[in-house]
Amino acid sequence: QVQLVESGGGLVQPGGSLRLSCAVSGSIDSINVMGWYRQAPGEQRELVATITSGGSTTYRDSVKGRFTVSRDNPKNTVYLQMNSLKLEDTAVYYCNANLRPRGMFYFDTYWGQGTQVTVSS
């Protein structure tokens, strides 16, 4: 059973920092792209950042220069370092991974349960 478990969310003041982690567990043959999404109340889920197995990254414009996505391939873990946080960064943050479970012939996308990030003074 493949699982993605996030941690690191919480309450922070504007200008503060948080680091999110997402560990993939279970029997896995390969992980392709990993990413972070977020969903604010009443809003659609939106892409925040992605990282390939080779380390290539993409970011949504509003977080460029403030957020950094990274991954530890041997640990099957992806991170999101969030600096200079703003009120509008408040959301539930979800990680996802496009991966191939052991013994399977195809890749599929899996999601974590989400972690709340609240930026408030």
Side-chain angles (χ1 to χ4, degrees):
Q1 181 88 10
V2 175
Q3 285 188 311
L4 277 64
V5 179
E6 297 126 337
S7 60
L11 173 64
V12 64
Q13 292 186 338
S17 298
L18 282 175
R19 188 189 194 212
L20 306 182
S21 300
C22 173
V24 181
S25 63
S27 297
I28 301 160
D29 272 344
S30 180
I31 302 178
N32 189 8
V33 179
M34 303 182 80
W36 290 94
Y37 290 70
R38 67 186 182 188
Q39 187 167 19
E43 303 290 333
Q44 290 189 338
R45 191 172 297 189
E46 61 184 23
L47 175 65
V48 177
T50 65
I51 184 167
T52 68
S53 57
S56 296
T57 59
T58 63
Y59 298 91
R60 70 180 301 105
D61 287 346
S62 62
V63 307
K64 286 180 180 177
R66 300 189 297 123
F67 290 11
T68 302
V69 62
S70 61
R71 64 192 277 176
D72 185 331
N73 289 331
K75 294 183 178 180
N76 291 336
T77 300
V78 62
Y79 306 95
L80 186 67
Q81 177 67 44
M82 304 185 293
N83 299 328
S84 302
L85 282 160
K86 303 177 180 180
L87 297 176
E88 53 264 38
D89 294 319
T90 296
V92 178
Y93 283 69
Y94 299 89
C95 71
N96 82 348
N98 182 250
L99 60 87
R100 182 159 55 96
R102 187 154 297 160
M104 304 301 287
F105 298 101
Y106 56 87
F107 283 80
D108 203 353
T109 298
Y110 292 76
W111 290 88
Q113 81 285 356
T115 185
Q116 177 70 46
V117 171
T118 302
V119 184
S120 175
S121 55

